[in-house]
Amino acid sequence: MATGPTKPASALSLLRRFGPAFLLIAGLGAVVASGALHHLSLHTLRDSRVALHAFVQAHPVQAVLAYLAVYVAAMSLSLPAALLLTLTGGFLFGPWAGGLLADLGCSSGGILVFAVCRLTVGDSLDRRASPRIKAFEDGFRKDAFAYLLTLRLIPITPFWLVNLAAGLLGAPARAFVVATLIGILPASMIYAGLGAGLDGMFDRGEPLGPHLLLAPRIVLPLVGLALLSILPIAHHWWRARRGDAASKS
């Protein structure tokens, strides 16, 4: 008699734990199979710009909501579309609003992946981890904000990888959310500023490609971000040294 209610309850528990992760994986597979990734390009944006601008002017609120929905969906499925979507944000809404919307959409998608990862993994890694890995996890959790902020400020760090790693290592949710919102904002504003100038590039018929990201006005701020990312690490090192000095005195 005791086993009857247990099986449905156990099945429901497994569904709650692994269902969201399965949906994300299935969604990613569906997008890849549909060939939609081939349309994620500046050429598609150029060809659709008249219709997109018209829609934004006629339905500004719906345009903002649609942009955020697409960005959140793309990041929750870990699609390689963050750069293009941020450029599109600047292209459609201007450098300031576009940058802020890109930051919000990108962060929301990352938070969703982080939450699903924590729900799926839970504390199973803690129970199975070796003492060395567990010590690393404990150190990461103690100053998760500094680590995450550093990773977010470095533009070359894959966004999806940080989301998964933070979930697997059990980063505090508050530290993850705040570090993500703050850390990707500078790069979002930089790329949205570039996106705001795409109309002029399209009108002039300039070639589209990775060379657009090598302009000094893009590269120099990104180098500055890389240098800025060292500050949280330096602060963490200084706190550790200060703690050691205090313990010895």
Side-chain angles (χ1 to χ4, degrees), residues 16 30 53 64 175 181 228 232 236 239 242-243 248:
R16 288 176 177 173
H53 281 312
V64 168
L181 284 168
L228 183 64
H236 176 72
R239 284 179 57 187
R242 186 179 180 184
K248 293 178 180 178

Side-chain angles (χ1 to χ4, degrees), residues 24-46:
L24 291 183
I25 295 173
L28 175 60
V31 171
V32 173
S34 70
L37 293 179
H38 297 297
H39 299 287
L40 295 176
S41 68
L42 290 176
H43 295 86
T44 302
L45 182 62
R46 179 193 60 193

